[in-house]
Amino acid sequence: MNRICLNDNWICFETGKRESGFEVDLPHDALLLDEKDDNSVTGVNLGWYVPKDYSYEKKLFAPKEWEGRVNVLYFEGVYHKATVYVNGEKAAYQDYGYTGFYVDVTELFKYGENNIILVEAVNTDQPNSRWYSGTGIYRPVWLYSMPKEHIHVNGIKVDTVSINPPTIRIRINASAKGTVSCSIKELEAKETAQTSEDGSATINMILPEAELWSCDNPRLYDLDVSFGQDERTERIGIRTLTFNEKVGFAINGKRVILRGACIHHDNGLLGAAGYEFSDFRKIRLMKENGYNAVRSAHNPCSEATLRACDELGVLMMDEYVDAWYIHKTKNDYATKVESCYKKDLKAMVDKDYNHPSVIMYSTGNEVAETAQKRGIELCGNMTDYLHGLDSSRPVSCGINIFFNFLSTMGFGVYSDKKADQEAQNVKKKKAVGSEFFNNLAGVLGAGFMKFGATLYPCDVLTRDAFARMDFAGYNYGIGRYIHDLKKYPDRLILGSETFCSDAYRFYELAKKQPRIIGDFVWSGMDYLGEVGVGSWEYEEYASDFSHGIGWVAAGSGRVDLTGKPLSEADYTKVAFEKLDIAIGVIPVKFAGQKHSPSAWKMTNAMASWSFEGCDGMKTKVEVYSRAYEVELFLNNRSLGKKRPHNECRVIFDVTYKPGELKAVAYDSKGREIADTCLVSAGSSTRLMAQPEQNCIKSDGDLAYIRLKFTDDNGVLKPLARSDIRIETKGGRLIGLGSGCPYYTKSYLGNVCDTYYGEALAIVKPIEGEKKIRLSAATVDGKLTAEAEVEVI
């Protein structure tokens, strides 16, 4: 099979306005082009955008040698309601915006001529999403050209049947009868078989020299499969999954506690554009910050994300959808799920099957339908259907336990009447579904929501659905864990969505209780849309706390929108025993000031002791440690000792004075076991442009260049702030902005504001250039910086 990338040289235009078209390469997010309006019905969900419908057109020459072959287009993701035309003829329609789809163009192409591919994407049917969706062809497009007798698309399925010795089973589905060959050159292994009349064959390969795939050793092999003139390569890992009440969850027979993070599909400053390099970076950041698993919330993840998880040893919980048949927004996918779930789930399983990192499926998120007879039946049907497609992986579903109870009393339940009223005045709308719960949590706090989940009706209204899945997915239900483990001795519990502040409590419980499978914090990396839901923002950076126009991101990440780890990430690493000690400081200038509310923020501390002009001001210093006792020093003077109590965080009241802030951890015998310190920046201020990588590849890599105000020694100065103007040579600036959830500039511009002294530029290499040069300057011209990135 020839696999041809079709990402280059498309024309994008607002649908119906072909004359205004402009050239783009894929992946592309057209929503970033649209205007915002404080009366937009997208509201807090999309960040007040007024989406348009966009079309994409490509001219593709089909050589004569393609004639007589089977030619298929593969769209990895188009948002949404995509219609594909080939040479003016309708070729396909795909409703769901997060599932890839195939278009057989064999009979539609004109061979030896240019062909016109036109894709129309709809996004004016608002509101249709609870978060920033993007618009258009936001993931790659491919052409698969195969000989007439070929292996079907997704026609290779690989299972590990034993790890002692390592043995895999390969099932091949071809278009005809013939000989199929499978080999792994690195292991000098090769087997052949004859397909049956229906084109199917099964080959077992015993691989005694193979290494097993795991989080700690993500060993991958290339499996080459040939059938006549058709040749394919699958990147595989050899591992087994076990899950039961005795071992909990195990990979290759060894128990694994899922230290998970929920992630959205967007890539921050790039919008929804699914660049492979950016998806890989996101997964790398999650692993670097203590997580060994991610949940693709609340839609199937990209293929690039799966490859990153395979290579980095990060486990994937791939999720289907956000609603079943009860709407959360008026025009979401809820009306289609019952009739389309088989097609959609098959597409997700086909995408995931050969990836060792995928360890479970989720059928939905906070679906209050699970409190109803119809929804319970649907839950069981989807679980059974997934088991039929893939018997090796468990199935879960994230249920908001307290909301199931509230919904039965009519709180936060969608109706067309409510939706129509909201359309008249979006600022006075009544939230429904998950948005209702989010708002309630913001007002009443995380503690109240977790308490609500312990009420008896919450058990009654979830137990039947939980019985119809392998892992009972508890959203914000940690208060039920011990009770339910006793009441339901066969139940395996998964914290499918949790608060950051529960990381330590969860991990201590999980170490003692194998039936607690794991935890997925909301969220690992910040994301666009659901604006302000997880943000503690001060007036310095957000002119109002209403989450109106100007708010762009949730503020929910342990890692911010630019990829910068926050102190909550340090806390989590300590809770998960991946870091010994860390310090976080409430920004001194703003300590005690009012900030925007959120139950999802544990702390807004940051790892800095550089707050120029704040001498004598009081703040709080947090020290994260699992030690018996912690002591804090300021300029070599002890500020006291504190002992963490059923936690790994202690808080000191401190008066700011520049110098060295040091924390020391002691064991129960008073012996020093760990220390860390923060040092104040000097008086000088300079602008730095610091690439994350000094050398990148030309075939898909991006240059991420962090802009920072520092002293002469490179110590960050978080209170320094200015607009910065960017110019590039050898590369195209494709994203520019800060990690602030409130941001009024465009990510597509060349001027950015800074957030606590930092911003980020993302540059795509220009074909043929060997070096990217970035020049940065404050808008007053007083500070400048240069950066170079080699392109190979």
Side-chain angles (χ1 to χ4, degrees):
M1 179 178 75
N2 296 329
R3 185 171 182 259
I4 302 164
C5 181
L6 300 184
N7 286 345
D8 296 339
N9 302 318
W10 290 75
I11 301 296
C12 177
F13 54 94
E14 184 183 347
T15 299
K17 298 181 179 180
R18 176 63 178 82
E19 70 281 359
S20 63
F22 51 95
E23 292 186 7
V24 299
D25 292 335
L26 306 181
H28 182 256
D29 177 10
L31 184 54
L32 290 176
L33 302 170
D34 291 337
E35 296 179 350
K36 298 180 182 182
D37 189 287
D38 58 7
N39 290 312
S40 171
V41 295
T42 66
V44 298
N45 295 333
L46 264 69
W48 305 96
Y49 278 98
V50 183
K52 298 175 182 177
D53 298 335
Y54 283 91
S55 295
Y56 294 78
E57 183 181 289
K58 182 179 179 64
K59 185 182 295 184
L60 178 65
F61 181 76
K64 277 286 188 180
E65 53 263 32
W66 287 2
E67 196 167 9
R69 296 172 66 86
V70 176
N71 300 301
V72 177
L73 296 175
Y74 176 35
F75 293 86
E76 291 193 27
V78 182
Y79 197 87
H80 72 160
K81 296 184 175 179
T83 304
V84 180
Y85 299 88
V86 177
N87 296 324
E89 185 172 341
K90 183 178 176 179
Y93 174 77
Q94 169 69 16
D95 197 312
Y96 193 35
Y98 297 107
T99 299
F101 61 100
Y102 299 88
V103 183
D104 191 332
V105 294
T106 305
E107 302 301 324
L108 298 174
F109 269 0
K110 298 176 181 178
Y111 298 98
E113 300 180 35
N114 282 317
N115 295 266
I116 302 298
I117 301 169
L118 176 66
V119 181
E120 295 178 351
V122 174
N123 208 10
T124 53
D125 58 333
Q126 295 295 329
N128 64 44
S129 177
R130 286 196 307 108
W131 56 85
Y132 181 93
S133 60
T135 303
I137 310 178
Y138 67 97
R139 287 176 180 165
V141 177
W142 304 89
L143 173 70
Y144 295 164
S145 183
M146 301 168 282
K148 187 174 181 180
E149 294 188 352
H150 59 273
I151 301 168
H152 287 303
V153 173
N154 298 313
I156 301 169
K157 297 288 192 296
V158 183
D159 296 284
T160 300
V161 295
S162 171
I163 58 172
N164 189 22
T167 304
I168 60 174
R169 179 178 65 237
I170 308 151
R171 289 175 291 145
I172 302 96
N173 186 12
S175 64
K177 189 175 181 180
T179 301
V180 63
S181 174
C182 297
S183 63
I184 301 176
K185 295 176 183 177
E186 188 175 353
L187 297 174
E188 298 181 345
K190 184 175 182 178
E191 298 287 346
T192 60
Q194 294 294 313
T195 61
S196 60
E197 292 293 335
D198 65 359
S200 64
T202 300
I203 292 177
N204 288 331
M205 297 184 74
I206 300 174
L207 307 166
E209 302 301 318
E211 298 178 39
L212 302 181
W213 187 96
S214 68
C215 294
D216 296 328
N217 182 45
R219 189 68 165 87
L220 297 171
Y221 294 97
D222 285 336
L223 170 67
D224 297 320
V225 182
S226 63
F227 176 75
Q229 296 180 346
D230 194 10
E231 296 181 351
R232 311 281 178 92
T233 298
E234 295 285 332
R235 192 86 165 138
I236 66 166
I238 302 168
R239 59 102 184 100
T240 57
L241 303 178
T242 307
F243 49 97
N244 56 52
E245 63 274 14
K246 293 183 179 180
V247 302
F249 174 75
I251 296 177
N252 302 327
K254 181 179 179 181
R255 188 192 176 205
V256 175
I257 300 174
L258 302 181
R259 308 185 308 272
C262 299
I263 57 172
H264 266 231
H265 75 295
D266 72 79
N267 279 310
L269 311 185
L270 299 175
Y275 290 94
E276 174 127 9
F277 188 85
S278 301
D279 286 352
F280 188 96
R281 176 179 181 264
K282 185 190 302 182
I283 299 302
R284 174 177 58 79
L285 286 167
M286 292 299 93
K287 182 157 188 175
E288 289 174 355
N289 285 282
Y291 301 106
N292 66 358
V294 292
R295 172 190 177 206
S296 183
H298 303 290
N299 44 259
C301 70
S302 69
E303 298 211 22
T305 297
L306 293 181
R307 287 189 288 271
C309 289
D310 289 348
E311 292 182 26
L312 295 172
V314 174
L315 307 174
M316 169 59 73
M317 174 184 183
D318 209 2
E319 188 156 87
Y320 169 35
V321 77
D322 189 45
W324 287 351
Y325 54 79
I326 299 175
H327 285 286
K328 293 182 180 179
T329 61
K330 183 176 182 179
N331 298 307
D332 61 24
Y333 195 59
T335 56
K336 305 294 179 64
V337 168
E338 288 179 294
S339 59
C340 295
Y341 78 80
K342 289 186 177 181
K343 171 177 71 74
D344 294 340
L345 291 178
K346 185 178 186 304
M348 183 171 73
V349 171
D350 281 343
K351 168 178 67 73
D352 292 358
Y353 198 95
N354 292 338
H355 290 276
S357 58
V358 179
I359 47 92
M360 80 174 90
Y361 303 112
S362 169
T363 56
N365 169 67
E366 294 184 343
V367 277
E369 294 93 327
T370 53
Q372 302 175 359
K373 182 178 179 180
R374 174 182 169 189
I376 293 166
E377 182 179 359
L378 178 60
C379 179
N381 289 343
M382 285 196 283
T383 296
D384 291 343
Y385 184 68
L386 281 167
H387 285 161
L389 295 173
D390 183 350
S391 61
S392 70
R393 291 177 171 100
V395 177
S396 185
C397 176
I399 296 179
N400 191 315
I401 297 172
F402 189 29
F403 181 61
N404 263 32
F405 175 32
L406 295 176
S407 69
T408 62
M409 297 188 292
F411 293 107
V413 179
Y414 173 89
S415 72
D416 286 335
K417 182 179 179 181
K418 287 180 184 178
D420 292 338
Q421 289 172 344
E422 291 166 11
Q424 298 301 316
N425 191 339
V426 68
K427 292 185 178 179
K428 292 185 178 180
K429 75 172 186 175
K430 294 181 180 180
V432 298
S434 297
E435 185 184 349
F436 168 81
F437 179 84
N438 294 347
N439 292 349
L440 194 65
V443 173
L444 299 178
F448 179 80
M449 308 313 288
K450 289 185 288 186
F451 165 75
T454 67
L455 299 175
Y456 175 70
C458 296
D459 179 20
V460 176
L461 294 166
T462 55
R463 62 191 180 193
D464 291 335
F466 283 152
R468 285 160 172 80
M469 58 187 81
D470 301 305
F471 295 162
Y474 286 45
N475 282 21
Y476 310 107
I478 194 170
R480 298 201 64 89
Y481 287 4
I482 296 301
H483 171 273
D484 288 0
L485 286 173
K486 294 177 181 178
K487 186 173 182 179
Y488 302 101
D490 296 331
R491 181 177 291 181
L492 303 180
I493 293 175
L494 175 72
S496 42
E497 200 165 303
T498 63
F499 294 112
C500 173
S501 56
D502 289 327
Y504 177 87
R505 181 184 178 190
F506 146 71
Y507 203 61
E508 290 304 295
L509 285 171
K511 287 191 293 185
K512 301 171 186 175
Q513 301 285 347
R515 287 194 289 132
I516 298 177
I517 301 302
D519 172 282
F520 288 86
V521 70
W522 193 267
S523 63
M525 190 163 180
D526 198 14
Y527 56 96
L528 299 175
E530 278 196 311
V531 300
V533 69
S535 176
W536 285 0
E537 208 50 73
Y538 298 108
E539 288 185 4
E540 175 88 4
Y541 285 104
S543 59
D544 69 85
F545 299 158
S546 69
H547 299 160
I549 195 166
W551 286 86
V552 293
S556 293
R558 315 287 75 84
V559 175
D560 81 6
L561 208 62
T562 69
K564 178 182 174 64
L566 307 178
S567 285
E568 288 177 323
D570 287 337
Y571 163 82
T572 302
K573 285 192 286 186
V574 171
F576 290 164
E577 300 176 337
K578 296 297 178 182
L579 181 67
D580 292 329
I581 190 170
I583 300 173
V585 179
I586 304 300
V588 179
K589 181 179 179 180
F590 311 118
Q593 292 185 19
K594 184 179 179 181
H595 57 67
S596 56
S598 172
W600 278 265
K601 182 69 71 175
M602 182 191 82
T603 179
N604 62 347
M606 57 192 306
S608 177
W609 193 243
S610 298
F611 297 95
E612 195 169 5
C614 295
D615 294 37
M617 295 178 66
K618 294 182 178 180
T619 191
K620 294 187 181 296
V621 173
E622 305 179 358
V623 181
Y624 316 121
S625 175
R626 285 175 156 271
Y628 177 77
E629 191 170 55
V630 171
E631 186 170 14
L632 188 66
F633 295 87
L634 177 56
N635 297 331
N636 297 317
R637 184 175 68 87
S638 175
L639 302 182
K641 294 182 178 181
K642 292 194 174 186
R643 294 176 182 175
H645 179 66
N646 293 329
E647 241 305 353
C648 62
R649 177 171 69 149
V650 293
I651 301 175
F652 295 84
D653 293 313
V654 179
T655 300
Y656 181 76
K657 185 178 182 180
E660 181 187 76
L661 186 69
K662 183 177 181 179
V664 180
Y666 304 97
D667 65 14
S668 59
K669 295 182 179 180
R671 295 174 297 196
E672 182 178 330
I673 55 175
D675 68 83
T676 189
C677 70
L678 299 173
V679 179
S680 300
S683 59
S684 62
T685 302
R686 58 178 296 193
L687 177 61
M688 289 185 63
Q690 189 174 57
E692 289 186 355
Q693 295 172 288
N694 293 320
C695 182
I696 62 173
K697 292 181 290 185
S698 62
D699 59 346
D701 285 6
L702 303 175
Y704 279 74
I705 303 173
R706 193 163 292 277
L707 310 168
K708 304 165 67 172
F709 290 115
T710 72
D711 68 2
D712 289 336
N713 295 316
V715 178
L716 179 69
K717 304 188 76 170
L719 297 187
R721 186 179 182 185
S722 173
D723 284 357
I724 299 172
R725 180 173 285 107
I726 299 298
E727 294 181 359
T728 60
K729 293 181 180 180
R732 183 168 61 89
L733 184 66
I734 60 173
L736 178 68
S738 78
C740 189
Y742 184 94
Y743 192 80
T744 58
K745 291 180 170 58
S746 170
Y747 295 142
L748 299 178
N750 71 330
V751 176
C752 67
D753 188 9
T754 54
Y755 182 59
Y756 290 111
E758 297 192 59
L760 180 72
I762 308 172
V763 184
K764 182 180 180 181
I766 293 175
E767 186 175 357
E769 296 287 341
K770 301 298 183 184
K771 189 170 290 187
I772 291 171
R773 294 178 175 86
L774 178 141
S775 300
T778 54
V779 290
D780 60 11
K782 292 182 179 180
L783 297 175
T784 62
E786 304 279 340
E788 289 189 353
V789 177
E790 185 180 358
V791 181
I792 59 173

